[in-house]
Amino acid sequence: MDQDKSAVRRAVRMRRAAVPASVRAERDRAIRDHLASVVTEGMVVCAFVPDDDEAGGPDLPETLALAGAHVLLPVSPAVGALGWAAYAGPADLRPGRFGIPVPSAAPEGPGRIADADLVLVPSVAVDRTGARLGRGGGYYDRTLALARPHTRLLAVLDPEDVLDHVPSEPHDRPVTGVVTPHGVRDF
């Protein structure tokens, strides 16, 4: 199974890397626009700061905050589920574990995800049933288990990364929908 997952991860990374930067930027802007349209004032959103090989673009948290959301960003521990820290703007971010930008505020525990109205999930690929392929660390699988049962869990992806089938295992947590440059779609 790990071989299947690794092959999909490699193929998706190569495909995104082949897309011109200007096209990726256009897609990322469309994703942020779609998300801004579903955010309401005061909504709690667990988000992330996408890197170059992830859809959404680095301005994702700021777009959500400007739309009125209270944004929480993940903080990766050495082991276990993700902690969450309040986003206070791009100037407040610093490199965290794995070089991932995190707020300077001390993180709250993993259970903070239970306060979220919306969770944006970084994903390599998702299939049409919600099976999600992440980067392989298992941080989100452990953390999504703590979200409320009816919380909207959206994978942030380029459209070609919504596949017919994604290899998954029993511990893999599904998402409830996807946001791509084409819009937000629930499964």
Side-chain angles (χ1 to χ4, degrees):
M1 184 64 73
D2 283 340
Q3 252 181 343
D4 294 341
K5 288 181 174 184
S6 293
V8 173
R9 287 183 185 107
R10 267 193 312 279
V12 168
R13 274 196 298 271
M14 288 173 48
R15 186 169 48 234
R16 181 153 169 95
V19 175
S22 61
V23 173
R24 284 196 316 265
E26 239 176 79
R27 289 176 169 190
D28 293 344
R29 192 172 16 266
I31 287 169
R32 292 190 305 270
D33 288 348
H34 292 304
L35 287 170
S37 73
V38 299
V39 169
T40 58
E41 188 69 35
M43 177 183 274
V44 176
V45 179
C46 287
F48 65 101
V49 181
D51 63 22
D52 288 341
D53 66 348
E54 294 175 311
D59 296 332
L60 179 63
E62 185 66 6
T63 298
L64 298 166
L66 290 173
H70 175 69
V71 180
L72 301 174
L73 296 180
V75 179
S76 300
V79 294
L82 298 166
W84 297 95
Y87 174 73
D92 182 56
L93 297 176
R94 60 179 174 73
R97 187 174 171 82
F98 309 117
I100 297 169
V102 298
S104 65
E108 297 180 55
R112 186 73 162 98
I113 195 172
D115 296 330
D117 300 298
L118 172 64
V119 178
L120 301 179
V121 186
S123 303
V124 173
V126 169
D127 70 22
R128 287 158 175 63
T129 68
R132 174 190 157 270
L133 181 62
R135 291 189 168 208
Y139 289 102
Y140 272 87
D141 291 320
R142 287 187 287 275
T143 306
L144 292 176
L146 303 173
R148 288 180 306 202
H150 299 292
T151 300
R152 199 173 195 190
L153 310 172
L154 296 179
V156 181
L157 293 169
D158 287 322
E160 60 271 12
D161 300 327
V162 179
L163 308 176
D164 290 330
H165 173 73
V166 168
S168 65
E169 298 174 71
H171 68 269
D172 293 330
R173 297 291 175 171
V175 293
T176 62
V178 63
V179 58
T180 72
H182 301 303
V184 176
R185 182 173 43 130
D186 293 304
F187 297 128

